[in-house]
PDB file of all heavy atoms in Angstrom:
ATOM      1  N   ARG C  13      -1.205   4.409  10.193  1.00  0.00           N
ATOM      2  CA  ARG C  13      -1.646   3.936  11.508  1.00  0.00           C
ATOM      3  C   ARG C  13      -2.564   2.742  11.334  1.00  0.00           C
ATOM      4  O   ARG C  13      -3.485   2.762  10.531  1.00  0.00           O
ATOM      5  CB  ARG C  13      -2.363   5.039  12.274  1.00  0.00           C
ATOM      6  CG  ARG C  13      -1.394   6.062  12.835  1.00  0.00           C
ATOM      7  CD  ARG C  13      -2.074   7.031  13.772  1.00  0.00           C
ATOM      8  NE  ARG C  13      -2.842   6.390  14.814  1.00  0.00           N
ATOM      9  CZ  ARG C  13      -2.384   6.128  16.038  1.00  0.00           C
ATOM     10  NH1 ARG C  13      -1.153   6.427  16.356  1.00  0.00           N
ATOM     11  NH2 ARG C  13      -3.167   5.567  16.938  1.00  0.00           N
ATOM     12  N   THR C  14      -2.293   1.702  12.127  1.00  0.00           N
ATOM     13  CA  THR C  14      -3.128   0.503  12.167  1.00  0.00           C
ATOM     14  C   THR C  14      -3.399   0.173  13.629  1.00  0.00           C
ATOM     15  O   THR C  14      -2.949   0.891  14.527  1.00  0.00           O
ATOM     16  CB  THR C  14      -2.410  -0.686  11.490  1.00  0.00           C
ATOM     17  OG1 THR C  14      -1.244  -1.010  12.239  1.00  0.00           O
ATOM     18  CG2 THR C  14      -2.035  -0.372  10.050  1.00  0.00           C
ATOM     19  N   LEU C  15      -4.073  -0.924  13.871  1.00  0.00           N
ATOM     20  CA  LEU C  15      -4.289  -1.351  15.256  1.00  0.00           C
ATOM     21  C   LEU C  15      -2.974  -1.658  15.950  1.00  0.00           C
ATOM     22  O   LEU C  15      -2.872  -1.568  17.164  1.00  0.00           O
ATOM     23  CB  LEU C  15      -5.207  -2.570  15.305  1.00  0.00           C
ATOM     24  CG  LEU C  15      -6.677  -2.303  15.011  1.00  0.00           C
ATOM     25  CD1 LEU C  15      -7.459  -3.607  15.004  1.00  0.00           C
ATOM     26  CD2 LEU C  15      -7.277  -1.339  16.006  1.00  0.00           C
ATOM     27  N   GLY C  16      -1.959  -2.013  15.182  1.00  0.00           N
ATOM     28  CA  GLY C  16      -0.642  -2.304  15.735  1.00  0.00           C
ATOM     29  C   GLY C  16       0.189  -1.072  16.029  1.00  0.00           C
ATOM     30  O   GLY C  16       1.313  -1.176  16.496  1.00  0.00           O
ATOM     31  N   GLY C  17      -0.334   0.105  15.744  1.00  0.00           N
ATOM     32  CA  GLY C  17       0.388   1.347  15.995  1.00  0.00           C
ATOM     33  C   GLY C  17       0.758   2.049  14.704  1.00  0.00           C
ATOM     34  O   GLY C  17       0.287   1.708  13.620  1.00  0.00           O
ATOM     35  N   ALA C  18       1.635   3.026  14.824  1.00  0.00           N
ATOM     36  CA  ALA C  18       2.072   3.819  13.673  1.00  0.00           C
ATOM     37  C   ALA C  18       3.248   3.124  12.995  1.00  0.00           C
ATOM     38  O   ALA C  18       4.166   2.640  13.653  1.00  0.00           O
ATOM     39  CB  ALA C  18       2.463   5.217  14.107  1.00  0.00           C
ATOM     40  N   HIS C  19       3.205   3.077  11.670  1.00  0.00           N
ATOM     41  CA  HIS C  19       4.260   2.449  10.875  1.00  0.00           C
ATOM     42  C   HIS C  19       4.906   3.512   9.991  1.00  0.00           C
ATOM     43  O   HIS C  19       4.334   3.894   8.971  1.00  0.00           O
ATOM     44  CB  HIS C  19       3.694   1.337   9.995  1.00  0.00           C
ATOM     45  CG  HIS C  19       2.993   0.264  10.755  1.00  0.00           C
ATOM     46  ND1 HIS C  19       3.662  -0.810  11.285  1.00  0.00           N
ATOM     47  CD2 HIS C  19       1.689   0.106  11.094  1.00  0.00           C
ATOM     48  CE1 HIS C  19       2.795  -1.592  11.905  1.00  0.00           C
ATOM     49  NE2 HIS C  19       1.592  -1.046  11.810  1.00  0.00           N
ATOM     50  N   PRO C  20       6.110   3.992  10.362  1.00  0.00           N
ATOM     51  CA  PRO C  20       6.788   4.966   9.509  1.00  0.00           C
ATOM     52  C   PRO C  20       7.391   4.266   8.288  1.00  0.00           C
ATOM     53  O   PRO C  20       8.034   3.227   8.406  1.00  0.00           O
ATOM     54  CB  PRO C  20       7.870   5.549  10.410  1.00  0.00           C
ATOM     55  CG  PRO C  20       8.068   4.550  11.486  1.00  0.00           C
ATOM     56  CD  PRO C  20       6.810   3.759  11.612  1.00  0.00           C
ATOM     57  N   LEU C  21       7.152   4.837   7.113  1.00  0.00           N
ATOM     58  CA  LEU C  21       7.643   4.269   5.857  1.00  0.00           C
ATOM     59  C   LEU C  21       8.477   5.318   5.138  1.00  0.00           C
ATOM     60  O   LEU C  21       7.918   6.257   4.570  1.00  0.00           O
ATOM     61  CB  LEU C  21       6.465   3.843   4.965  1.00  0.00           C
ATOM     62  CG  LEU C  21       5.374   2.978   5.593  1.00  0.00           C
ATOM     63  CD1 LEU C  21       4.212   2.799   4.631  1.00  0.00           C
ATOM     64  CD2 LEU C  21       5.936   1.645   6.004  1.00  0.00           C
ATOM     65  N   PRO C  22       9.805   5.199   5.153  1.00  0.00           N
ATOM     66  CA  PRO C  22      10.635   6.162   4.431  1.00  0.00           C
ATOM     67  C   PRO C  22      10.330   6.123   2.931  1.00  0.00           C
ATOM     68  O   PRO C  22       9.996   5.070   2.374  1.00  0.00           O
ATOM     69  CB  PRO C  22      12.065   5.691   4.704  1.00  0.00           C
ATOM     70  CG  PRO C  22      11.964   4.818   5.915  1.00  0.00           C
ATOM     71  CD  PRO C  22      10.604   4.214   5.876  1.00  0.00           C
ATOM     72  N   TRP C  23      10.460   7.268   2.273  1.00  0.00           N
ATOM     73  CA  TRP C  23      10.125   7.363   0.849  1.00  0.00           C
ATOM     74  C   TRP C  23      10.831   6.314   0.007  1.00  0.00           C
ATOM     75  O   TRP C  23      10.231   5.725  -0.891  1.00  0.00           O
ATOM     76  CB  TRP C  23      10.466   8.750   0.314  1.00  0.00           C
ATOM     77  CG  TRP C  23       9.487   9.810   0.673  1.00  0.00           C
ATOM     78  CD1 TRP C  23       9.708  10.874   1.495  1.00  0.00           C
ATOM     79  CD2 TRP C  23       8.136   9.946   0.222  1.00  0.00           C
ATOM     80  NE1 TRP C  23       8.578  11.650   1.587  1.00  0.00           N
ATOM     81  CE2 TRP C  23       7.599  11.102   0.813  1.00  0.00           C
ATOM     82  CE3 TRP C  23       7.316   9.187  -0.610  1.00  0.00           C
ATOM     83  CZ2 TRP C  23       6.298  11.525   0.586  1.00  0.00           C
ATOM     84  CZ3 TRP C  23       6.018   9.615  -0.843  1.00  0.00           C
ATOM     85  CH2 TRP C  23       5.523  10.770  -0.250  1.00  0.00           C
ATOM     86  N   HIS C  24      12.114   6.070   0.272  1.00  0.00           N
ATOM     87  CA  HIS C  24      12.889   5.170  -0.584  1.00  0.00           C
ATOM     88  C   HIS C  24      12.536   3.693  -0.378  1.00  0.00           C
ATOM     89  O   HIS C  24      12.967   2.850  -1.157  1.00  0.00           O
ATOM     90  CB  HIS C  24      14.390   5.400  -0.394  1.00  0.00           C
ATOM     91  CG  HIS C  24      14.890   5.018   0.973  1.00  0.00           C
ATOM     92  ND1 HIS C  24      14.742   5.842   2.071  1.00  0.00           N
ATOM     93  CD2 HIS C  24      15.509   3.908   1.408  1.00  0.00           C
ATOM     94  CE1 HIS C  24      15.260   5.251   3.123  1.00  0.00           C
ATOM     95  NE2 HIS C  24      15.733   4.071   2.759  1.00  0.00           N
ATOM     96  N   GLU C  25      11.736   3.378   0.637  1.00  0.00           N
ATOM     97  CA  GLU C  25      11.369   1.978   0.911  1.00  0.00           C
ATOM     98  C   GLU C  25       9.920   1.656   0.540  1.00  0.00           C
ATOM     99  O   GLU C  25       9.476   0.532   0.735  1.00  0.00           O
ATOM    100  CB  GLU C  25      11.561   1.671   2.402  1.00  0.00           C
ATOM    101  CG  GLU C  25      12.994   1.732   2.850  1.00  0.00           C
ATOM    102  CD  GLU C  25      13.146   1.489   4.334  1.00  0.00           C
ATOM    103  OE1 GLU C  25      12.128   1.407   5.055  1.00  0.00           O
ATOM    104  OE2 GLU C  25      14.293   1.381   4.795  1.00  0.00           O
ATOM    105  N   VAL C  26       9.187   2.613   0.006  1.00  0.00           N
ATOM    106  CA  VAL C  26       7.767   2.387  -0.261  1.00  0.00           C
ATOM    107  C   VAL C  26       7.434   2.686  -1.724  1.00  0.00           C
ATOM    108  O   VAL C  26       7.955   3.621  -2.313  1.00  0.00           O
ATOM    109  CB  VAL C  26       6.890   3.225   0.699  1.00  0.00           C
ATOM    110  CG1 VAL C  26       7.019   4.698   0.443  1.00  0.00           C
ATOM    111  CG2 VAL C  26       5.450   2.798   0.647  1.00  0.00           C
ATOM    112  N   LYS C  27       6.590   1.820  -2.276  1.00  0.00           N
ATOM    113  CA  LYS C  27       6.048   2.032  -3.617  1.00  0.00           C
ATOM    114  C   LYS C  27       4.582   2.398  -3.451  1.00  0.00           C
ATOM    115  O   LYS C  27       3.831   1.718  -2.757  1.00  0.00           O
ATOM    116  CB  LYS C  27       6.166   0.760  -4.463  1.00  0.00           C
ATOM    117  CG  LYS C  27       7.569   0.372  -4.779  1.00  0.00           C
ATOM    118  CD  LYS C  27       7.578  -0.924  -5.569  1.00  0.00           C
ATOM    119  CE  LYS C  27       9.012  -1.421  -5.707  1.00  0.00           C
ATOM    120  NZ  LYS C  27       9.060  -2.770  -6.268  1.00  0.00           N
ATOM    121  N   VAL C  28       4.185   3.476  -4.088  1.00  0.00           N
ATOM    122  CA  VAL C  28       2.798   3.946  -4.018  1.00  0.00           C
ATOM    123  C   VAL C  28       2.114   3.582  -5.329  1.00  0.00           C
ATOM    124  O   VAL C  28       2.593   3.936  -6.405  1.00  0.00           O
ATOM    125  CB  VAL C  28       2.748   5.474  -3.804  1.00  0.00           C
ATOM    126  CG1 VAL C  28       1.320   5.967  -3.800  1.00  0.00           C
ATOM    127  CG2 VAL C  28       3.466   5.857  -2.522  1.00  0.00           C
ATOM    128  N   ARG C  29       1.013   2.835  -5.231  1.00  0.00           N
ATOM    129  CA  ARG C  29       0.269   2.412  -6.423  1.00  0.00           C
ATOM    130  C   ARG C  29      -1.208   2.689  -6.237  1.00  0.00           C
ATOM    131  O   ARG C  29      -1.747   2.509  -5.146  1.00  0.00           O
ATOM    132  CB  ARG C  29       0.428   0.906  -6.650  1.00  0.00           C
ATOM    133  CG  ARG C  29       1.690   0.485  -7.293  1.00  0.00           C
ATOM    134  CD  ARG C  29       1.590  -0.971  -7.746  1.00  0.00           C
ATOM    135  NE  ARG C  29       1.101  -1.862  -6.701  1.00  0.00           N
ATOM    136  CZ  ARG C  29       1.865  -2.690  -6.014  1.00  0.00           C
ATOM    137  NH1 ARG C  29       3.151  -2.727  -6.225  1.00  0.00           N
ATOM    138  NH2 ARG C  29       1.337  -3.477  -5.104  1.00  0.00           N
ATOM    139  N   LEU C  30      -1.832   3.087  -7.320  1.00  0.00           N
ATOM    140  CA  LEU C  30      -3.277   3.212  -7.349  1.00  0.00           C
ATOM    141  C   LEU C  30      -3.809   2.021  -8.121  1.00  0.00           C
ATOM    142  O   LEU C  30      -3.426   1.788  -9.262  1.00  0.00           O
ATOM    143  CB  LEU C  30      -3.695   4.514  -8.023  1.00  0.00           C
ATOM    144  CG  LEU C  30      -5.182   4.785  -8.041  1.00  0.00           C
ATOM    145  CD1 LEU C  30      -5.689   5.055  -6.634  1.00  0.00           C
ATOM    146  CD2 LEU C  30      -5.491   5.949  -8.944  1.00  0.00           C
ATOM    147  N   VAL C  31      -4.667   1.232  -7.487  1.00  0.00           N
ATOM    148  CA  VAL C  31      -5.218   0.030  -8.105  1.00  0.00           C
ATOM    149  C   VAL C  31      -6.726   0.210  -8.205  1.00  0.00           C
ATOM    150  O   VAL C  31      -7.380   0.631  -7.243  1.00  0.00           O
ATOM    151  CB  VAL C  31      -4.881  -1.221  -7.270  1.00  0.00           C
ATOM    152  CG1 VAL C  31      -5.507  -2.461  -7.864  1.00  0.00           C
ATOM    153  CG2 VAL C  31      -3.379  -1.380  -7.148  1.00  0.00           C
ATOM    154  N   THR C  32      -7.269  -0.119  -9.364  1.00  0.00           N
ATOM    155  CA  THR C  32      -8.710  -0.029  -9.569  1.00  0.00           C
ATOM    156  C   THR C  32      -9.262  -1.434  -9.759  1.00  0.00           C
ATOM    157  O   THR C  32      -8.820  -2.166 -10.644  1.00  0.00           O
ATOM    158  CB  THR C  32      -9.034   0.843 -10.789  1.00  0.00           C
ATOM    159  OG1 THR C  32      -8.424   2.122 -10.607  1.00  0.00           O
ATOM    160  CG2 THR C  32     -10.522   1.027 -10.940  1.00  0.00           C
ATOM    161  N   ASN C  33     -10.185  -1.811  -8.903  1.00  0.00           N
ATOM    162  CA  ASN C  33     -10.846  -3.117  -8.987  1.00  0.00           C
ATOM    163  C   ASN C  33     -12.259  -2.934  -9.492  1.00  0.00           C
ATOM    164  O   ASN C  33     -12.935  -1.972  -9.129  1.00  0.00           O
ATOM    165  CB  ASN C  33     -10.894  -3.791  -7.610  1.00  0.00           C
ATOM    166  CG  ASN C  33      -9.510  -4.072  -7.088  1.00  0.00           C
ATOM    167  OD1 ASN C  33      -8.684  -4.635  -7.780  1.00  0.00           O
ATOM    168  ND2 ASN C  33      -9.261  -3.652  -5.861  1.00  0.00           N
ATOM    169  N   ARG C  34     -12.696  -3.866 -10.313  1.00  0.00           N
ATOM    170  CA  ARG C  34     -14.067  -3.820 -10.824  1.00  0.00           C
ATOM    171  C   ARG C  34     -14.886  -4.891 -10.119  1.00  0.00           C
ATOM    172  O   ARG C  34     -14.615  -6.085 -10.237  1.00  0.00           O
ATOM    173  CB  ARG C  34     -14.069  -4.041 -12.324  1.00  0.00           C
ATOM    174  CG  ARG C  34     -15.408  -3.822 -12.950  1.00  0.00           C
ATOM    175  CD  ARG C  34     -15.276  -3.808 -14.479  1.00  0.00           C
ATOM    176  NE  ARG C  34     -16.536  -3.563 -15.101  1.00  0.00           N
ATOM    177  CZ  ARG C  34     -17.055  -2.360 -15.314  1.00  0.00           C
ATOM    178  NH1 ARG C  34     -16.380  -1.298 -14.934  1.00  0.00           N
ATOM    179  NH2 ARG C  34     -18.216  -2.216 -15.892  1.00  0.00           N
ATOM    180  N   ARG C  35     -15.897  -4.432  -9.368  1.00  0.00           N
ATOM    181  CA  ARG C  35     -16.777  -5.354  -8.648  1.00  0.00           C
ATOM    182  C   ARG C  35     -18.209  -4.894  -8.811  1.00  0.00           C
ATOM    183  O   ARG C  35     -18.508  -3.710  -8.642  1.00  0.00           O
ATOM    184  CB  ARG C  35     -16.428  -5.384  -7.169  1.00  0.00           C
ATOM    185  CG  ARG C  35     -15.086  -5.998  -6.933  1.00  0.00           C
ATOM    186  CD  ARG C  35     -14.950  -6.501  -5.524  1.00  0.00           C
ATOM    187  NE  ARG C  35     -13.662  -7.145  -5.395  1.00  0.00           N
ATOM    188  CZ  ARG C  35     -12.740  -6.801  -4.535  1.00  0.00           C
ATOM    189  NH1 ARG C  35     -12.964  -5.824  -3.693  1.00  0.00           N
ATOM    190  NH2 ARG C  35     -11.593  -7.443  -4.493  1.00  0.00           N
ATOM    191  N   LEU C  36     -19.072  -5.845  -9.102  1.00  0.00           N
ATOM    192  CA  LEU C  36     -20.495  -5.568  -9.266  1.00  0.00           C
ATOM    193  C   LEU C  36     -20.741  -4.440 -10.264  1.00  0.00           C
ATOM    194  O   LEU C  36     -21.613  -3.598 -10.073  1.00  0.00           O
ATOM    195  CB  LEU C  36     -21.138  -5.233  -7.914  1.00  0.00           C
ATOM    196  CG  LEU C  36     -21.032  -6.317  -6.832  1.00  0.00           C
ATOM    197  CD1 LEU C  36     -21.562  -5.799  -5.506  1.00  0.00           C
ATOM    198  CD2 LEU C  36     -21.777  -7.564  -7.257  1.00  0.00           C
ATOM    199  N   GLY C  37     -19.938  -4.398 -11.322  1.00  0.00           N
ATOM    200  CA  GLY C  37     -20.113  -3.399 -12.362  1.00  0.00           C
ATOM    201  C   GLY C  37     -19.644  -2.015 -11.998  1.00  0.00           C
ATOM    202  O   GLY C  37     -19.916  -1.049 -12.699  1.00  0.00           O
ATOM    203  N   ARG C  38     -18.909  -1.892 -10.909  1.00  0.00           N
ATOM    204  CA  ARG C  38     -18.445  -0.584 -10.444  1.00  0.00           C
ATOM    205  C   ARG C  38     -16.954  -0.631 -10.194  1.00  0.00           C
ATOM    206  O   ARG C  38     -16.448  -1.581  -9.606  1.00  0.00           O
ATOM    207  CB  ARG C  38     -19.178  -0.227  -9.156  1.00  0.00           C
ATOM    208  CG  ARG C  38     -18.838   1.106  -8.628  1.00  0.00           C
ATOM    209  CD  ARG C  38     -19.707   1.444  -7.445  1.00  0.00           C
ATOM    210  NE  ARG C  38     -19.280   2.731  -6.940  1.00  0.00           N
ATOM    211  CZ  ARG C  38     -19.340   3.092  -5.692  1.00  0.00           C
ATOM    212  NH1 ARG C  38     -19.846   2.273  -4.806  1.00  0.00           N
ATOM    213  NH2 ARG C  38     -18.920   4.264  -5.311  1.00  0.00           N
ATOM    214  N   GLU C  39     -16.242   0.400 -10.636  1.00  0.00           N
ATOM    215  CA  GLU C  39     -14.801   0.469 -10.395  1.00  0.00           C
ATOM    216  C   GLU C  39     -14.534   1.140  -9.049  1.00  0.00           C
ATOM    217  O   GLU C  39     -15.084   2.198  -8.766  1.00  0.00           O
ATOM    218  CB  GLU C  39     -14.115   1.240 -11.516  1.00  0.00           C
ATOM    219  CG  GLU C  39     -14.121   0.489 -12.819  1.00  0.00           C
ATOM    220  CD  GLU C  39     -13.307   1.173 -13.894  1.00  0.00           C
ATOM    221  OE1 GLU C  39     -12.800   2.282 -13.649  1.00  0.00           O
ATOM    222  OE2 GLU C  39     -13.190   0.596 -14.978  1.00  0.00           O
ATOM    223  N   THR C  40     -13.701   0.485  -8.253  1.00  0.00           N
ATOM    224  CA  THR C  40     -13.366   0.989  -6.932  1.00  0.00           C
ATOM    225  C   THR C  40     -11.857   1.181  -6.828  1.00  0.00           C
ATOM    226  O   THR C  40     -11.107   0.206  -6.884  1.00  0.00           O
ATOM    227  CB  THR C  40     -13.830  -0.008  -5.844  1.00  0.00           C
ATOM    228  OG1 THR C  40     -15.214  -0.274  -6.030  1.00  0.00           O
ATOM    229  CG2 THR C  40     -13.610   0.550  -4.460  1.00  0.00           C
ATOM    230  N   PRO C  41     -11.391   2.426  -6.658  1.00  0.00           N
ATOM    231  CA  PRO C  41      -9.956   2.648  -6.530  1.00  0.00           C
ATOM    232  C   PRO C  41      -9.475   2.390  -5.097  1.00  0.00           C
ATOM    233  O   PRO C  41     -10.183   2.667  -4.130  1.00  0.00           O
ATOM    234  CB  PRO C  41      -9.783   4.117  -6.898  1.00  0.00           C
ATOM    235  CG  PRO C  41     -11.078   4.745  -6.509  1.00  0.00           C
ATOM    236  CD  PRO C  41     -12.127   3.686  -6.710  1.00  0.00           C
ATOM    237  N   THR C  42      -8.296   1.836  -4.971  1.00  0.00           N
ATOM    238  CA  THR C  42      -7.642   1.674  -3.671  1.00  0.00           C
ATOM    239  C   THR C  42      -6.199   2.151  -3.803  1.00  0.00           C
ATOM    240  O   THR C  42      -5.601   2.077  -4.876  1.00  0.00           O
ATOM    241  CB  THR C  42      -7.647   0.215  -3.185  1.00  0.00           C
ATOM    242  OG1 THR C  42      -7.015  -0.602  -4.168  1.00  0.00           O
ATOM    243  CG2 THR C  42      -9.050  -0.282  -2.929  1.00  0.00           C
ATOM    244  N   LEU C  43      -5.664   2.644  -2.722  1.00  0.00           N
ATOM    245  CA  LEU C  43      -4.282   3.084  -2.676  1.00  0.00           C
ATOM    246  C   LEU C  43      -3.469   1.993  -2.003  1.00  0.00           C
ATOM    247  O   LEU C  43      -3.771   1.598  -0.879  1.00  0.00           O
ATOM    248  CB  LEU C  43      -4.172   4.393  -1.886  1.00  0.00           C
ATOM    249  CG  LEU C  43      -2.795   5.029  -1.808  1.00  0.00           C
ATOM    250  CD1 LEU C  43      -2.352   5.511  -3.185  1.00  0.00           C
ATOM    251  CD2 LEU C  43      -2.795   6.170  -0.821  1.00  0.00           C
ATOM    252  N   GLU C  44      -2.456   1.490  -2.693  1.00  0.00           N
ATOM    253  CA  GLU C  44      -1.602   0.440  -2.134  1.00  0.00           C
ATOM    254  C   GLU C  44      -0.230   1.025  -1.824  1.00  0.00           C
ATOM    255  O   GLU C  44       0.386   1.656  -2.675  1.00  0.00           O
ATOM    256  CB  GLU C  44      -1.455  -0.722  -3.112  1.00  0.00           C
ATOM    257  CG  GLU C  44      -2.716  -1.511  -3.291  1.00  0.00           C
ATOM    258  CD  GLU C  44      -2.516  -2.763  -4.119  1.00  0.00           C
ATOM    259  OE1 GLU C  44      -1.392  -2.997  -4.628  1.00  0.00           O
ATOM    260  OE2 GLU C  44      -3.492  -3.524  -4.264  1.00  0.00           O
ATOM    261  N   LEU C  45       0.219   0.797  -0.604  1.00  0.00           N
ATOM    262  CA  LEU C  45       1.554   1.196  -0.170  1.00  0.00           C
ATOM    263  C   LEU C  45       2.337  -0.079   0.075  1.00  0.00           C
ATOM    264  O   LEU C  45       2.072  -0.800   1.033  1.00  0.00           O
ATOM    265  CB  LEU C  45       1.472   2.044   1.101  1.00  0.00           C
ATOM    266  CG  LEU C  45       0.573   3.276   1.023  1.00  0.00           C
ATOM    267  CD1 LEU C  45       0.472   3.945   2.374  1.00  0.00           C
ATOM    268  CD2 LEU C  45       1.064   4.239  -0.028  1.00  0.00           C
ATOM    269  N   ASP C  46       3.267  -0.362  -0.801  1.00  0.00           N
ATOM    270  CA  ASP C  46       4.060  -1.589  -0.739  1.00  0.00           C
ATOM    271  C   ASP C  46       5.410  -1.246  -0.138  1.00  0.00           C
ATOM    272  O   ASP C  46       6.239  -0.600  -0.772  1.00  0.00           O
ATOM    273  CB  ASP C  46       4.205  -2.164  -2.148  1.00  0.00           C
ATOM    274  CG  ASP C  46       4.771  -3.564  -2.156  1.00  0.00           C
ATOM    275  OD1 ASP C  46       4.940  -4.149  -1.070  1.00  0.00           O
ATOM    276  OD2 ASP C  46       5.050  -4.069  -3.250  1.00  0.00           O
ATOM    277  N   TRP C  47       5.629  -1.680   1.111  1.00  0.00           N
ATOM    278  CA  TRP C  47       6.852  -1.356   1.839  1.00  0.00           C
ATOM    279  C   TRP C  47       7.760  -2.574   1.882  1.00  0.00           C
ATOM    280  O   TRP C  47       7.314  -3.697   2.096  1.00  0.00           O
ATOM    281  CB  TRP C  47       6.505  -0.924   3.258  1.00  0.00           C
ATOM    282  CG  TRP C  47       7.688  -0.768   4.153  1.00  0.00           C
ATOM    283  CD1 TRP C  47       8.528   0.302   4.217  1.00  0.00           C
ATOM    284  CD2 TRP C  47       8.169  -1.707   5.114  1.00  0.00           C
ATOM    285  NE1 TRP C  47       9.500   0.076   5.162  1.00  0.00           N
ATOM    286  CE2 TRP C  47       9.305  -1.157   5.721  1.00  0.00           C
ATOM    287  CE3 TRP C  47       7.755  -2.972   5.501  1.00  0.00           C
ATOM    288  CZ2 TRP C  47      10.017  -1.810   6.714  1.00  0.00           C
ATOM    289  CZ3 TRP C  47       8.471  -3.630   6.485  1.00  0.00           C
ATOM    290  CH2 TRP C  47       9.585  -3.055   7.082  1.00  0.00           C
ATOM    291  N   GLN C  48       9.055  -2.343   1.647  1.00  0.00           N
ATOM    292  CA  GLN C  48      10.013  -3.442   1.726  1.00  0.00           C
ATOM    293  C   GLN C  48      11.349  -2.921   2.249  1.00  0.00           C
ATOM    294  O   GLN C  48      11.875  -1.913   1.786  1.00  0.00           O
ATOM    295  CB  GLN C  48      10.217  -4.068   0.354  1.00  0.00           C
ATOM    296  CG  GLN C  48      11.096  -5.286   0.406  1.00  0.00           C
ATOM    297  CD  GLN C  48      11.141  -6.015  -0.928  1.00  0.00           C
ATOM    298  OE1 GLN C  48      10.621  -5.546  -1.926  1.00  0.00           O
ATOM    299  NE2 GLN C  48      11.769  -7.164  -0.934  1.00  0.00           N
ATOM    300  N   ARG C  49      11.883  -3.647   3.245  1.00  0.00           N
ATOM    301  CA  ARG C  49      13.206  -3.365   3.805  1.00  0.00           C
ATOM    302  C   ARG C  49      13.873  -4.710   4.001  1.00  0.00           C
ATOM    303  O   ARG C  49      13.521  -5.473   4.901  1.00  0.00           O
ATOM    304  CB  ARG C  49      13.089  -2.636   5.134  1.00  0.00           C
ATOM    305  CG  ARG C  49      14.465  -2.348   5.770  1.00  0.00           C
ATOM    306  CD  ARG C  49      14.362  -1.727   7.138  1.00  0.00           C
ATOM    307  NE  ARG C  49      13.718  -0.426   7.059  1.00  0.00           N
ATOM    308  CZ  ARG C  49      13.068   0.141   8.060  1.00  0.00           C
ATOM    309  NH1 ARG C  49      12.957  -0.486   9.218  1.00  0.00           N
ATOM    310  NH2 ARG C  49      12.511   1.317   7.922  1.00  0.00           N
ATOM    311  N   GLY C  50      14.842  -5.020   3.149  1.00  0.00           N
ATOM    312  CA  GLY C  50      15.502  -6.318   3.221  1.00  0.00           C
ATOM    313  C   GLY C  50      14.511  -7.426   2.957  1.00  0.00           C
ATOM    314  O   GLY C  50      13.829  -7.448   1.947  1.00  0.00           O
ATOM    315  N   GLU C  51      14.422  -8.362   3.890  1.00  0.00           N
ATOM    316  CA  GLU C  51      13.480  -9.480   3.761  1.00  0.00           C
ATOM    317  C   GLU C  51      12.081  -9.137   4.281  1.00  0.00           C
ATOM    318  O   GLU C  51      11.137  -9.861   4.024  1.00  0.00           O
ATOM    319  CB  GLU C  51      14.012 -10.701   4.532  1.00  0.00           C
ATOM    320  CG  GLU C  51      15.285 -11.278   3.945  1.00  0.00           C
ATOM    321  CD  GLU C  51      15.064 -11.883   2.575  1.00  0.00           C
ATOM    322  OE1 GLU C  51      14.042 -12.568   2.368  1.00  0.00           O
ATOM    323  OE2 GLU C  51      15.903 -11.642   1.694  1.00  0.00           O
ATOM    324  N   ASP C  52      11.972  -8.040   5.039  1.00  0.00           N
ATOM    325  CA  ASP C  52      10.676  -7.640   5.589  1.00  0.00           C
ATOM    326  C   ASP C  52       9.883  -6.874   4.536  1.00  0.00           C
ATOM    327  O   ASP C  52      10.426  -6.024   3.833  1.00  0.00           O
ATOM    328  CB  ASP C  52      10.871  -6.743   6.815  1.00  0.00           C
ATOM    329  CG  ASP C  52      11.544  -7.457   7.952  1.00  0.00           C
ATOM    330  OD1 ASP C  52      11.389  -8.690   8.045  1.00  0.00           O
ATOM    331  OD2 ASP C  52      12.222  -6.790   8.758  1.00  0.00           O
ATOM    332  N   GLU C  53       8.606  -7.199   4.456  1.00  0.00           N
ATOM    333  CA  GLU C  53       7.739  -6.459   3.543  1.00  0.00           C
ATOM    334  C   GLU C  53       6.321  -6.445   4.093  1.00  0.00           C
ATOM    335  O   GLU C  53       5.917  -7.316   4.852  1.00  0.00           O
ATOM    336  CB  GLU C  53       7.766  -7.043   2.134  1.00  0.00           C
ATOM    337  CG  GLU C  53       7.306  -8.472   2.031  1.00  0.00           C
ATOM    338  CD  GLU C  53       7.436  -9.012   0.613  1.00  0.00           C
ATOM    339  OE1 GLU C  53       7.573  -8.232  -0.336  1.00  0.00           O
ATOM    340  OE2 GLU C  53       7.384 -10.227   0.476  1.00  0.00           O
TER     341      GLU C  53
END
C-alpha cells in the first residue's frame, strides 16, 4: 500500500531482496520488492 493505493504483486513478478546500507557507522537493513511486468517496473 502506498499513497497511490494498493499494488498487488504476483509472486512470479516480484523479486524480494534484503539490502543493508551502512550510514554513519550503522548498518540499516531495508526490504526491496522489485516488480516487473513486461516494460513496466
Side-chain angles (χ1 to χ4, degrees):
R13 284 189 52 95
T14 64
L15 287 176
H19 302 274
L21 310 173
W23 282 113
H24 67 280
E25 294 177 353
V26 67
K27 293 178 188 171
V28 177
R29 280 193 310 256
L30 183 68
V31 177
T32 304
N33 297 310
R34 188 170 182 85
R35 293 201 177 122
L36 301 173
R38 183 174 177 211
E39 290 187 356
T40 306
T42 57
L43 183 67
E44 290 187 356
L45 305 174
D46 191 7
W47 171 81
Q48 185 172 7
R49 179 185 297 155
E51 294 293 318
D52 296 332
E53 61 183 343

